[in-house]
Amino acid sequence: MEIVGTSSTDQQIMDQSDEVSLDVNELAISLREQLKIKKAFSLACCIYRVPERLRKLNEKAYTPRVVSIGPIHHGKENLKAMEDHKIMYLQQFLEQNKVSVENLINIIKENETELRDSYAETINLSRKDFATMILLDAVFIIMVLLNTKHLRGFLDSGRRDHIFYRPFKLDDVMLDMSLLENQLPFFILKKLFHELSSAAANPENCTLIELTCGFLNNPWSDWVKEDSWKIIDSSGVLHFVDFIRKCHKPTEKHRPAKDDFLSPPTATELHQSGVKFKRPEKSSLLDITFSNGILEIPQLKIDDSTEILFRNLQAFEQCHHKNMDTFVSNYITFISCLVKAPNDVEVLARKGNLKNMLNSDDAVSNLIYNLDQENVVTGGGFLSSVGEDLKSYCTKRRHKWMTTLKQVYFNNPWTGISIFAATFLLILTVIQTVCSIIQLP
């Protein structure tokens, strides 16, 4: 029998089948569109979003205040005011140099893949929006570096922007440009910097690495010395946070430790065991040594911005250098072992190894304790052998006995003289007694 029609049930099944087919097709189209965008993770990535376990400890230490650099904080409402400055600086850059905006855009376009690969996360911006963001942010950084170096000439030019003039946002900009999530790859800054042609814009003909060093020396003078740029290969610099870290790579060579990381005693315990603290004049804060009972620790200044610096260096190491040479993280753990209470801060401050710019010793000890939370150190780190030697020194009783003798009985000249006199009288008494016994019939 020939079927000339279909039942209502059959029709419903066919309709459902069409819906399923339609859903599959839409899904396939959607996936193909996503596959057009490069999603593969690149080994070239060097700019990361801070892990949540670190961010929750102090979110403000990782978050920009006035300016967004790069895609992670791009478009946030509280940072949009600085976008006008970026346009203004691009205009200045074009006016001062014989270069067109088309040439600058082509530089970004030619390096788009490498730029996107520099970020650990996929950047959900169109090619147009991405190129615009990179260009404005890169020129902004270059102009801030130049204007900071030649500040007097910039102000004399009559340009009064809110970074270098009232309300003077330069300090906030400096901090924002030192955050891990707020970075541009250094290589794109170098390519655009090469387009400078005006002697007025760069009268001293400074290199980009030199300008970077001078700029970062302002907020981090203990970390970035004025001549740090001379010992750093600019071709190996990934971004500003990486530059700061490279400024303090340890130069001291330590023997391998027997244990992965042996925690040293506290500063108070070391003092009670006779360890002498010395403040050396060395180029790196991390050049810590212990020899012949003398612990040399370059002075560490603790102020309101110290936590920002350490946290971003720490986050960069955990994302980029984990299981390798995490010397900043090792330094944090070492200092946290020395400082566990306010009296430890007092010992180091008295010896000149620590400069307390906060309101109390408690504030310093709490800051150092919090920095060590969620810290990750590598086994056999560069300070492991120092901790091992300090531990061994303090376990020897003769060091504590000698220290107790010095600190309790010879802590001032009069006490020493009194003890010497009492000992001398005791000896005379013994001699007199012995002589009396000998003279007996």
Side-chain angles (χ1 to χ4, degrees), residues 220-287:
W220 318 117
S221 58
D222 285 349
W223 276 79
V224 181
K225 305 300 181 183
E226 292 182 356
D227 60 348
S228 293
W229 63 275
K230 296 179 180 180
I231 59 174
I232 294 177
D233 180 7
S234 63
S235 64
V237 175
L238 302 174
H239 43 67
F240 282 6
V241 176
D242 183 53
F243 176 85
I244 296 172
R245 182 178 179 272
K246 280 180 165 60
C247 288
H248 273 281
K249 192 168 185 177
T251 59
E252 293 289 338
K253 302 296 182 183
H254 299 287
R255 65 168 178 79
K258 296 178 182 179
D259 297 320
D260 283 347
F261 194 92
L262 190 62
S263 301
T266 65
T268 301
E269 291 170 338
L270 293 173
H271 176 64
Q272 293 172 348
S273 297
V275 172
K276 296 180 180 179
F277 295 84
K278 183 179 178 180
R279 174 191 170 187
E281 296 297 333
K282 295 187 177 181
S283 58
S284 174
L285 285 174
L286 279 59
D287 285 342

Coordinates of all heavy atoms in Angstrom, one line a residue, residues 220-287:
W220 N 61.6 52.8 43.1 CA 62.2 51.6 43.6 C 63.8 51.9 43.7 O 64.5 51.1 43.1 CB 61.9 50.4 42.8 CG 60.5 50.3 42.3 CD1 60.0 50.3 41.1 CD2 59.4 50.1 43.2 NE1 58.7 50.1 41.0 CE2 58.2 50.0 42.3 CE3 59.2 50.0 44.5 CZ2 56.9 49.8 42.8 CZ3 57.9 49.9 45.0 CH2 56.8 49.8 44.2
S221 N 64.2 53.0 44.3 CA 65.6 53.3 44.3 C 66.5 52.2 45.0 O 67.7 52.1 44.6 CB 65.8 54.7 45.0 OG 65.3 54.6 46.4
D222 N 66.0 51.5 45.9 CA 66.7 50.4 46.5 C 66.9 49.2 45.6 O 67.8 48.4 45.7 CB 66.1 49.9 47.8 CG 66.3 50.9 49.0 OD1 67.1 51.8 48.8 OD2 65.6 50.8 50.0
W223 N 66.0 49.1 44.6 CA 66.0 47.9 43.7 C 66.6 48.3 42.4 O 67.3 47.4 41.8 CB 64.6 47.4 43.5 CG 64.2 46.5 44.6 CD1 63.8 46.8 45.9 CD2 64.2 45.0 44.6 NE1 63.5 45.7 46.6 CE2 63.8 44.6 45.8 CE3 64.5 44.1 43.6 CZ2 63.7 43.2 46.1 CZ3 64.4 42.8 43.9 CH2 64.0 42.3 45.2
V224 N 66.3 49.4 41.9 CA 66.8 49.8 40.6 C 67.8 51.0 40.8 O 67.4 52.1 41.1 CB 65.7 50.3 39.7 CG1 66.2 50.7 38.3 CG2 64.6 49.2 39.5
K225 N 69.1 50.7 40.6 CA 70.1 51.7 40.8 C 70.2 52.5 39.5 O 69.8 52.1 38.4 CB 71.5 51.0 41.1 CG 71.5 50.1 42.3 CD 71.1 50.9 43.6 CE 71.1 50.0 44.8 NZ 70.6 50.7 46.0
E226 N 70.9 53.7 39.6 CA 70.9 54.6 38.4 C 71.7 54.0 37.3 O 71.5 54.3 36.1 CB 71.6 55.9 38.8 CG 70.7 56.7 39.8 CD 71.3 58.1 40.1 OE1 72.5 58.3 39.7 OE2 70.7 58.9 40.8
D227 N 72.7 53.1 37.6 CA 73.5 52.5 36.5 C 73.1 51.0 36.3 O 73.9 50.3 35.6 CB 75.0 52.6 36.9 CG 75.3 51.9 38.2 OD1 74.3 51.5 38.9 OD2 76.5 51.7 38.5
S228 N 72.0 50.5 36.8 CA 71.6 49.1 36.6 C 71.5 48.8 35.1 O 71.7 47.6 34.7 CB 70.3 48.9 37.3 OG 70.4 49.0 38.7
W229 N 71.1 49.7 34.3 CA 70.9 49.5 32.8 C 72.2 49.0 32.2 O 72.2 48.4 31.1 CB 70.3 50.7 32.2 CG 71.2 51.9 32.2 CD1 71.3 52.8 33.2 CD2 72.1 52.3 31.2 NE1 72.3 53.8 32.8 CE2 72.8 53.5 31.6 CE3 72.5 51.8 29.9 CZ2 73.7 54.2 30.9 CZ3 73.5 52.5 29.2 CH2 74.1 53.6 29.6
K230 N 73.3 49.4 32.7 CA 74.6 49.1 32.1 C 74.9 47.6 32.2 O 75.7 47.1 31.4 CB 75.7 49.9 32.8 CG 75.6 51.4 32.6 CD 76.7 52.1 33.3 CE 76.6 53.6 33.1 NZ 77.7 54.4 33.8
I231 N 74.4 46.9 33.1 CA 74.7 45.5 33.3 C 73.6 44.6 32.8 O 73.7 43.3 33.0 CB 75.0 45.2 34.8 CG1 73.8 45.5 35.7 CG2 76.3 45.9 35.2 CD1 74.0 45.1 37.1
I232 N 72.5 45.1 32.2 CA 71.4 44.3 31.8 C 71.3 44.4 30.2 O 71.4 45.4 29.6 CB 70.1 44.8 32.4 CG1 70.1 44.6 33.9 CG2 68.9 44.1 31.8 CD1 68.9 45.2 34.6
D233 N 71.2 43.2 29.7 CA 71.1 43.1 28.2 C 69.6 43.4 27.8 O 68.7 42.6 28.2 CB 71.5 41.7 27.8 CG 71.3 41.5 26.3 OD1 71.1 42.5 25.5 OD2 71.5 40.3 25.8
S234 N 69.4 44.5 27.1 CA 68.0 44.9 26.8 C 67.3 43.9 26.0 O 66.1 43.8 26.0 CB 68.0 46.2 26.1 OG 68.7 46.2 24.9
S235 N 68.0 43.1 25.2 CA 67.4 42.1 24.3 C 66.7 41.0 25.1 O 65.9 40.3 24.6 CB 68.4 41.5 23.3 OG 69.4 40.7 24.0
G236 N 67.1 40.8 26.4 CA 66.5 39.8 27.2 C 65.5 40.3 28.2 O 64.9 39.5 28.9
V237 N 65.2 41.6 28.1 CA 64.1 42.1 29.0 C 62.8 41.8 28.4 O 62.5 42.2 27.3 CB 64.3 43.6 29.2 CG1 63.2 44.3 30.0 CG2 65.7 43.9 29.9
L238 N 61.9 41.3 29.2 CA 60.5 40.9 28.8 C 59.5 42.1 29.0 O 58.7 42.3 28.1 CB 60.0 39.7 29.6 CG 60.9 38.4 29.4 CD1 60.4 37.3 30.3 CD2 60.9 38.0 28.0
H239 N 59.6 42.8 30.1 CA 58.8 43.9 30.4 C 59.3 44.6 31.7 O 60.4 44.2 32.2 CB 57.3 43.5 30.6 CG 57.2 42.2 31.5 ND1 57.5 42.2 32.8 CD2 56.7 41.0 31.1 CE1 57.3 40.9 33.2 NE2 56.8 40.2 32.3
F240 N 58.7 45.6 32.2 CA 59.2 46.4 33.3 C 59.4 45.5 34.6 O 60.4 45.7 35.3 CB 58.3 47.5 33.6 CG 58.4 48.7 32.7 CD1 59.2 48.6 31.6 CD2 57.7 49.9 32.9 CE1 59.4 49.7 30.7 CE2 57.9 51.0 32.0 CZ 58.7 50.9 30.9
V241 N 58.5 44.6 34.9 CA 58.6 43.8 36.1 C 59.8 42.9 35.9 O 60.6 42.7 36.9 CB 57.3 43.0 36.3 CG1 57.5 42.0 37.5 CG2 56.1 43.9 36.6
D242 N 60.0 42.4 34.8 CA 61.2 41.6 34.5 C 62.5 42.4 34.6 O 63.5 41.9 35.2 CB 61.1 40.9 33.1 CG 62.3 40.0 32.8 OD1 62.5 39.1 33.6 OD2 62.9 40.2 31.8
F243 N 62.5 43.6 34.2 CA 63.6 44.5 34.3 C 64.0 44.7 35.8 O 65.1 44.6 36.2 CB 63.4 45.8 33.6 CG 64.5 46.8 33.8 CD1 65.6 46.8 33.0 CD2 64.5 47.8 34.8 CE1 66.6 47.7 33.1 CE2 65.5 48.7 35.0 CZ 66.6 48.6 34.1
I244 N 63.0 45.0 36.6 CA 63.2 45.2 38.0 C 63.8 44.0 38.7 O 64.8 44.0 39.4 CB 61.9 45.6 38.8 CG1 61.3 46.9 38.2 CG2 62.1 45.6 40.3 CD1 59.9 47.2 38.7
R245 N 63.3 42.8 38.3 CA 63.8 41.5 38.9 C 65.3 41.3 38.4 O 66.1 40.9 39.3 CB 62.9 40.4 38.4 CG 63.4 39.0 38.9 CD 62.4 37.9 38.5 NE 62.8 36.6 39.0 CZ 63.7 35.8 38.3 NH1 64.2 36.2 37.2 NH2 64.0 34.7 38.9
K246 N 65.6 41.6 37.2 CA 67.0 41.4 36.7 C 67.9 42.3 37.4 O 69.1 42.0 37.5 CB 67.0 41.7 35.2 CG 66.5 40.5 34.4 CD 66.6 40.8 32.9 CE 66.5 39.6 32.0 NZ 65.2 38.8 32.2
C247 N 67.5 43.5 37.9 CA 68.4 44.4 38.6 C 68.9 43.8 39.9 O 69.9 44.3 40.4 CB 67.6 45.7 39.0 SG 67.3 46.8 37.5
H248 N 68.3 42.8 40.4 CA 68.7 42.2 41.7 C 69.0 40.7 41.7 O 68.8 40.0 42.7 CB 67.7 42.6 42.8 CG 68.0 43.9 43.4 ND1 69.0 44.1 44.4 CD2 67.5 45.1 43.2 CE1 69.0 45.3 44.7 NE2 68.1 46.0 44.0
K249 N 69.4 40.2 40.6 CA 69.8 38.9 40.5 C 71.1 38.7 41.4 O 72.0 39.5 41.3 CB 70.2 38.4 39.1 CG 70.3 36.9 38.9 CD 70.4 36.5 37.5 CE 70.4 35.0 37.4 NZ 70.4 34.5 36.0
P250 N 71.1 37.7 42.3 CA 72.2 37.6 43.3 C 73.5 37.4 42.6 O 73.6 36.7 41.5 CB 71.8 36.3 44.1 CG 70.3 36.2 43.9 CD 70.0 36.7 42.5
T251 N 74.5 38.0 43.1 CA 75.9 37.9 42.5 C 76.8 37.0 43.4 O 77.8 36.5 42.9 CB 76.6 39.3 42.4 OG1 76.6 39.9 43.7 CG2 75.8 40.2 41.5
E252 N 76.4 36.8 44.7 CA 77.1 35.9 45.5 C 76.9 34.5 45.2 O 75.8 34.1 44.9 CB 76.8 36.2 47.0 CG 77.2 37.5 47.5 CD 78.7 37.7 47.7 OE1 79.3 36.6 47.8 OE2 79.2 38.8 47.7
K253 N 78.0 33.7 45.2 CA 77.9 32.3 44.9 C 77.9 31.5 46.3 O 78.8 31.7 47.1 CB 79.0 31.8 44.1 CG 79.1 32.5 42.7 CD 77.9 32.2 41.9 CE 78.0 32.9 40.5 NZ 76.8 32.7 39.7
H254 N 76.8 30.7 46.5 CA 76.8 29.9 47.7 C 76.9 28.4 47.4 O 76.6 28.0 46.3 CB 75.4 30.1 48.4 CG 75.2 31.6 48.8 ND1 75.8 32.2 49.8 CD2 74.3 32.5 48.3 CE1 75.4 33.4 50.0 NE2 74.5 33.7 49.0
R255 N 77.5 27.7 48.4 CA 77.6 26.3 48.2 C 76.3 25.6 48.2 O 75.3 26.2 48.8 CB 78.5 25.7 49.3 CG 77.9 25.8 50.7 CD 78.6 25.0 51.8 NE 78.0 25.2 53.1 CZ 76.9 24.6 53.5 NH1 76.3 23.8 52.7 NH2 76.5 24.8 54.7
P256 N 76.1 24.5 47.6 CA 74.8 23.7 47.7 C 74.5 23.3 49.1 O 75.4 22.9 49.9 CB 75.1 22.5 46.8 CG 76.3 22.9 45.9 CD 77.1 23.8 46.8
A257 N 73.2 23.5 49.4 CA 72.8 23.1 50.8 C 72.5 21.6 50.8 O 72.1 21.0 49.8 CB 71.5 23.9 51.2
K258 N 72.6 21.0 52.0 CA 72.3 19.6 52.2 C 70.8 19.3 52.1 O 70.3 18.3 51.6 CB 72.9 19.1 53.5 CG 74.4 19.1 53.6 CD 74.9 18.7 55.0 CE 76.4 18.8 55.0 NZ 76.9 18.4 56.4
D259 N 70.0 20.3 52.7 CA 68.6 20.2 52.7 C 68.0 21.2 51.7 O 68.7 22.1 51.3 CB 68.0 20.5 54.1 CG 68.4 19.4 55.1 OD1 68.5 18.2 54.7 OD2 68.7 19.8 56.2
D260 N 66.8 21.0 51.3 CA 66.2 21.8 50.3 C 66.1 23.3 50.8 O 66.5 24.2 50.1 CB 64.8 21.3 49.9 CG 64.8 20.2 49.0 OD1 65.9 19.9 48.4 OD2 63.8 19.5 48.8
F261 N 65.5 23.5 52.0 CA 65.5 24.8 52.5 C 65.4 24.7 54.1 O 64.4 24.3 54.6 CB 64.3 25.6 52.0 CG 64.4 27.1 52.3 CD1 65.0 27.9 51.4 CD2 64.0 27.6 53.5 CE1 65.2 29.3 51.7 CE2 64.2 29.0 53.8 CZ 64.7 29.8 52.9
L262 N 66.5 25.0 54.7 CA 66.6 24.9 56.1 C 66.4 26.3 56.7 O 67.1 27.2 56.5 CB 68.0 24.4 56.6 CG 68.1 24.0 58.0 CD1 67.2 22.9 58.4 CD2 69.6 23.6 58.3
S263 N 65.3 26.5 57.5 CA 64.9 27.8 58.0 C 65.9 28.3 59.0 O 66.2 27.6 59.9 CB 63.5 27.8 58.6 OG 62.6 27.3 57.7
P264 N 66.4 29.5 58.8 CA 67.3 30.1 59.8 C 66.6 30.5 61.0 O 65.4 30.7 61.0 CB 67.9 31.3 59.1 CG 66.8 31.7 58.1 CD 66.2 30.4 57.7
P265 N 67.3 30.6 62.2 CA 66.7 31.1 63.4 C 66.3 32.6 63.2 O 66.6 33.2 62.2 CB 67.8 31.0 64.4 CG 68.8 30.0 63.9 CD 68.7 30.2 62.4
T266 N 65.5 33.1 64.1 CA 65.0 34.5 64.1 C 66.2 35.4 64.4 O 67.3 35.0 64.9 CB 63.9 34.8 65.1 OG1 64.4 34.6 66.4 CG2 62.7 33.8 64.9
A267 N 66.0 36.7 64.1 CA 67.1 37.7 64.3 C 67.4 37.8 65.8 O 68.6 37.9 66.2 CB 66.7 39.1 63.8
T268 N 66.4 37.6 66.6 CA 66.6 37.7 68.1 C 67.4 36.5 68.5 O 68.4 36.6 69.3 CB 65.3 37.7 68.8 OG1 64.5 38.9 68.4 CG2 65.5 37.8 70.3
E269 N 67.1 35.3 68.0 CA 67.8 34.1 68.4 C 69.3 34.2 67.9 O 70.2 33.7 68.6 CB 67.1 32.9 67.8 CG 65.8 32.6 68.4 CD 65.0 31.5 67.7 OE1 65.3 31.3 66.5 OE2 64.1 30.9 68.3
L270 N 69.5 34.7 66.7 CA 70.8 34.8 66.2 C 71.6 35.8 67.1 O 72.8 35.5 67.3 CB 70.8 35.4 64.7 CG 70.2 34.4 63.7 CD1 70.1 35.1 62.4 CD2 71.1 33.2 63.5
H271 N 71.0 36.9 67.5 CA 71.7 37.9 68.3 C 72.1 37.2 69.7 O 73.2 37.4 70.2 CB 70.8 39.1 68.5 CG 71.3 40.1 69.5 ND1 72.5 40.8 69.2 CD2 70.9 40.5 70.7 CE1 72.7 41.6 70.3 NE2 71.7 41.4 71.2
Q272 N 71.2 36.4 70.2 CA 71.4 35.8 71.5 C 72.5 34.7 71.4 O 73.1 34.3 72.4 CB 70.1 35.2 72.0 CG 69.1 36.2 72.4 CD 67.8 35.6 72.8 OE1 67.5 34.5 72.5 NE2 66.9 36.5 73.4
S273 N 72.7 34.2 70.2 CA 73.7 33.2 69.9 C 75.1 33.8 69.5 O 76.0 33.0 69.2 CB 73.2 32.2 68.8 OG 72.1 31.5 69.3
G274 N 75.1 35.1 69.5 CA 76.4 35.7 69.2 C 76.7 36.1 67.8 O 77.8 36.5 67.5
V275 N 75.7 35.9 66.9 CA 75.9 36.3 65.5 C 75.9 37.8 65.4 O 75.1 38.5 66.0 CB 74.7 35.7 64.6 CG1 74.8 36.3 63.2 CG2 74.8 34.2 64.6
K276 N 76.9 38.3 64.7 CA 77.1 39.7 64.5 C 76.4 40.1 63.2 O 76.7 39.5 62.2 CB 78.5 40.1 64.6 CG 79.2 39.9 65.9 CD 80.7 40.3 65.9 CE 81.3 40.1 67.2 NZ 82.8 40.5 67.2
F277 N 75.6 41.2 63.2 CA 75.0 41.7 62.0 C 75.8 42.8 61.4 O 76.2 43.7 62.1 CB 73.5 42.1 62.3 CG 72.6 41.0 62.8 CD1 72.6 40.7 64.1 CD2 71.8 40.4 61.9 CE1 71.7 39.6 64.5 CE2 71.0 39.4 62.3 CZ 70.9 39.0 63.6
K278 N 76.0 42.7 60.1 CA 76.7 43.8 59.4 C 76.0 44.2 58.2 O 75.4 43.4 57.5 CB 78.1 43.2 59.0 CG 79.0 44.3 58.4 CD 80.4 43.7 58.0 CE 81.2 44.7 57.3 NZ 82.6 44.1 57.0
R279 N 76.0 45.5 57.9 CA 75.3 46.1 56.8 C 76.4 46.4 55.7 O 77.2 47.3 55.8 CB 74.6 47.4 57.1 CG 74.0 48.1 55.9 CD 73.5 49.5 56.3 NE 73.2 50.2 55.1 CZ 72.8 51.5 55.1 NH1 72.8 52.2 56.3 NH2 72.5 52.2 54.0
P280 N 76.5 45.5 54.7 CA 77.5 45.8 53.6 C 77.0 46.7 52.6 O 75.8 46.9 52.4 CB 77.7 44.4 53.0 CG 76.3 43.7 53.1 CD 75.7 44.3 54.4
E281 N 77.9 47.4 51.9 CA 77.5 48.2 50.8 C 77.7 47.4 49.5 O 78.7 47.4 48.8 CB 78.5 49.5 50.8 CG 78.3 50.3 52.0 CD 77.0 51.0 52.1 OE1 76.3 51.1 51.1 OE2 76.6 51.2 53.3
K282 N 76.6 46.7 49.1 CA 76.6 45.9 47.9 C 75.5 46.3 47.0 O 74.6 47.0 47.3 CB 76.4 44.4 48.3 CG 77.6 43.9 49.2 CD 77.4 42.4 49.4 CE 78.6 41.8 50.1 NZ 78.6 40.4 50.4
S283 N 75.7 45.9 45.7 CA 74.8 46.4 44.7 C 73.4 45.7 44.8 O 72.4 46.2 44.4 CB 75.4 46.1 43.3 OG 75.7 44.7 43.2
S284 N 73.4 44.5 45.3 CA 72.1 43.7 45.3 C 71.6 43.5 46.7 O 72.4 43.1 47.6 CB 72.3 42.4 44.6 OG 71.1 41.6 44.7
L285 N 70.3 43.7 47.0 CA 69.8 43.4 48.3 C 69.9 41.9 48.6 O 69.8 41.6 49.8 CB 68.3 43.8 48.3 CG 68.0 45.3 48.4 CD1 66.5 45.6 48.2 CD2 68.4 45.9 49.7
L286 N 70.0 41.1 47.6 CA 70.0 39.7 47.8 C 71.3 39.1 48.1 O 71.5 37.9 48.2 CB 69.3 39.0 46.6 CG 67.8 39.0 46.6 CD1 67.2 40.4 46.6 CD2 67.3 38.2 45.3
D287 N 72.4 39.9 48.1 CA 73.7 39.4 48.3 C 73.9 39.2 49.8 O 74.6 40.1 50.5 CB 74.8 40.3 47.7 CG 74.9 40.2 46.2 OD1 74.4 39.2 45.7 OD2 75.4 41.1 45.6

